[in-house]
Amino acid sequence: MAAEDLPSQFDVVILGTGLTESVIAAACSRVGQSVLHLDRRNYYAGNWASFTFNGLLSWIEEYKNQQELQITESEQEWRSLIEDGEEAVPLNSVDSSISNLEVFCYASEEEEQEEETKDLLTCPNAETVSEETNSDSTETQDTVTSDDVTESNVKVQNEENEDSAPKEQLHASDISEHSQSVEEKQPNRSPADPPAELQKKITYQKLLKEGRRFNIDLVSKLMYSRGALVDLLIKSNVSRYAEFKNIGRILTCRNGKVEQVPCSRADVFASKQLTVVEKRMLMKFLTFCLDFEQHPEEYQDYSEKPFSEFLKNKKLTENLQDFVLLSIAMVTQQTLTEEGLKATQHFLRCLGRYGNTPFLFPLYGLGEIPQCFCRMCAVFGGIYCLRHSVQCLVVDKESNKVKAVIDTRGQKIGCSHFVVEDSYIREEQRESINYRQISRAVLITDRSVLPSESDQQISLVTVPPVESSGPAVRMVELCSSSMTCMPGTCLVHLTCSSSGTAQQDLAPVVSQLFHIPTTPGEDPSEGTGEISKPAVLWVMYFNMRDTSAMDSSCYSLPSNVHVCTGPDAGLGSDYSIKLAESVFHCLLPDEEFCPPAPNPEDIIYDGDAPQAEGRGFDESNDTEADKSQAEEEGTTNETNPENSEAAEMDSVAQETTLDTNAPSEE
């Protein structure tokens, strides 16, 4: 919508399109609030965004230009709009949440040869994804519609179905057999065979040419299958806007070697890394963790002691202690025992819901999730404007509440509540500026760190800290079937809490696990350990501000201004979802948080009247013709998937309903 067309009054104005802000926007719009959702960027999701490779290069260029640009703000225009009894609270116009950005290219600079090898086309999802289905965050959109979503998801599904892709999608009938089906349909290949020899060397020009196949996240997270985000996607029916793939392997790096972590009963007993005694010890301990609250006498003496000491007391071997602490509980050496037990319990309870690991990953990258909630908000009347921000807040001096905002076009827009992303808040409006930082690295490599018969697996790798007091490094390796990289490459995300710059924190881990050419395109020397390592083609390091430790007391702002912090350093998104729910209940304490949206097939159109919430969603208004037609088709309450676009989409909500109502089919 053009700025000149914006209404002059909204219930809620939201600035920033990150995950937390987008969930709040969807929740408010769903219960009938008028929502204006703005972002100064030209893409959705803020620091949660996903970019194509070419889009990421543009984002990097914009970042560098922003660092050199001196912002001179003109306050003359909006000062004239401030009336007696009002005061202005200016906001930031520049994002400073990203710092220490460094980029290195190790791919050959040679011109790409015309001839393509057939090996690159053997990947199940090697066909080029059309522009309609591939999410390109650098392309600007000013509005979101549900029709675009429906067409996109159906097209993706049809393309994958043509290429035997049901094994890659989370259908209810094959979720539990996902990993096995993928492996069965992959060509047999020994793990020792380096796939790099089977394909043409990937040059930088090739990366640019295939740039649209990449979807590179700024923040690296996974979705716990029983976490707050998946529960919200199911409850709200937003899951129908996205597709998901389960994580196939959980790995760890011990003594410079990458190996698989046994976390389920089947994994434990099939593991060749553990002795028979270790297998029994691990199963006994994991069984205890599932209901540890029932046995307080086992851990109460260690309630104020680190979890690592409790593991030693349980007589677990050093091997098992590393597995539990770093790869199952995923906590630090300083984490207290009860917190460590809860983390282990949560991990175990998430096992088996959608696969043999606790995690899901959204196809096309994590940046899809905030956009899904933006779509829901737009469906229920929310208005979106990108490249559009707020210059200042207009505060009523008597009540100390925001009564309006003045946007970058000079329009004064009234509102009852204002929700804002932390990066828009100026330093003088903060009581505390003691930020934490997250160190991030994004790599494009030529193969997996642990080759297997199936090269289409998403892996979670934990790298122990070099020093006991340091942070562990979390690595997520994505394959091309996750729709985040081109065939023949892997996209690798490294994350840890910062102790220095991102390059200082993560470069040693990159050197340990990957081959870094001394000159672009150089092959590793024969007879060295480097030849067995994946080669790095391109890498980016940066630090991201972590403000998750800050609460409302850390800001000196009017009482109806609610600040949403950015991504935290955790693997899941529970913190952001709980923050969104907390802010929503501050805005509307008597309303339900994100009630289910109606399924498209349940919407009834009454003649030529416009679609709206009310009679259109009332099941009691089904016409006799509709009922008789349903009876002829053999069902009254079920939707024929052949005739419904929504039923063609894979969604966690549909799968969970099937799993819950029909356990005998499992």
Side-chain angles (χ1 to χ4, degrees), residues 250 261-265 267-268 282 286 328 347-348 351 356-358:
I250 297 179
V261 176
C263 50
S264 66
R265 180 184 295 272
D267 289 343
V268 170
L282 182 57
L286 295 180
I328 296 179
F347 181 98
L348 296 173
L351 283 171
N356 60 345
T357 72

Side-chain angles (χ1 to χ4, degrees), residues 304-495:
E304 299 300 323
K305 297 180 181 179
F307 187 44
S308 55
E309 290 189 20
F310 177 73
L311 297 178
K312 292 176 183 177
N313 178 66
K314 283 292 185 179
K315 302 296 189 293
L316 297 183
T317 64
E318 184 177 343
N319 198 21
L320 296 181
Q321 289 178 40
D322 287 345
F323 282 162
V324 173
L325 190 72
L326 298 176
S327 301
I328 296 179
M330 287 179 277
V331 294
T332 66
Q333 295 280 352
Q334 292 74 37
T335 302
L336 296 180
T337 295
E338 191 166 353
E339 183 181 347
L341 288 171
K342 288 180 179 178
T344 305
Q345 182 187 66
H346 182 51
F347 181 98
L348 296 173
R349 286 180 174 175
C350 292
L351 283 171
R353 190 177 191 185
Y354 299 117
N356 60 345
T357 72
F359 304 109
L360 296 172
F361 181 78
L363 296 185
Y364 302 103
L366 191 69
E368 288 294 295
I369 302 301
Q371 292 187 65
C372 288
F373 284 100
C374 289
R375 290 175 185 127
M376 179 181 176
C377 177
V379 165
F380 288 94
I383 295 177
Y384 280 82
C385 291
L386 299 181
R387 304 181 302 279
H388 197 112
S389 188
V390 171
Q391 298 185 76
C392 70
L393 311 180
V394 180
V395 181
D396 181 70
K397 292 182 179 179
E398 184 177 348
S399 63
N400 192 34
K401 289 187 175 183
V402 170
K403 59 187 293 188
V405 300
I406 298 177
D407 68 7
T408 46
R409 307 291 178 87
Q411 182 178 356
K412 191 173 184 179
I413 303 170
C415 63
S416 302
H417 298 280
F418 183 70
V419 179
V420 59
E421 177 194 315
D422 173 85
S423 65
Y424 289 85
I425 305 299
R426 292 190 173 189
E427 299 298 329
E428 59 266 25
Q429 292 148 8
R430 304 175 187 267
E431 300 290 342
S432 170
I433 54 174
N434 186 21
Y435 306 126
R436 296 181 298 191
Q437 294 283 339
I438 301 170
S439 290
R440 289 276 291 114
V442 179
L443 289 72
I444 300 174
T445 67
D446 65 350
R447 64 182 188 270
S448 173
V449 291
L450 186 62
S452 65
E453 292 183 359
S454 169
D455 59 357
Q456 292 301 310
Q457 295 194 66
I458 300 177
S459 304
L460 170 63
V461 188
T462 305
V463 183
V466 178
E467 301 177 1
S468 59
S469 59
V473 175
R474 183 178 72 244
M475 185 173 92
V476 176
E477 182 185 74
L478 302 171
C479 57
S480 60
S481 65
S482 67
M483 304 300 184
T484 58
C485 59
M486 60 176 277
T489 65
C490 288
L491 183 63
V492 180
H493 293 275
L494 285 83
T495 308

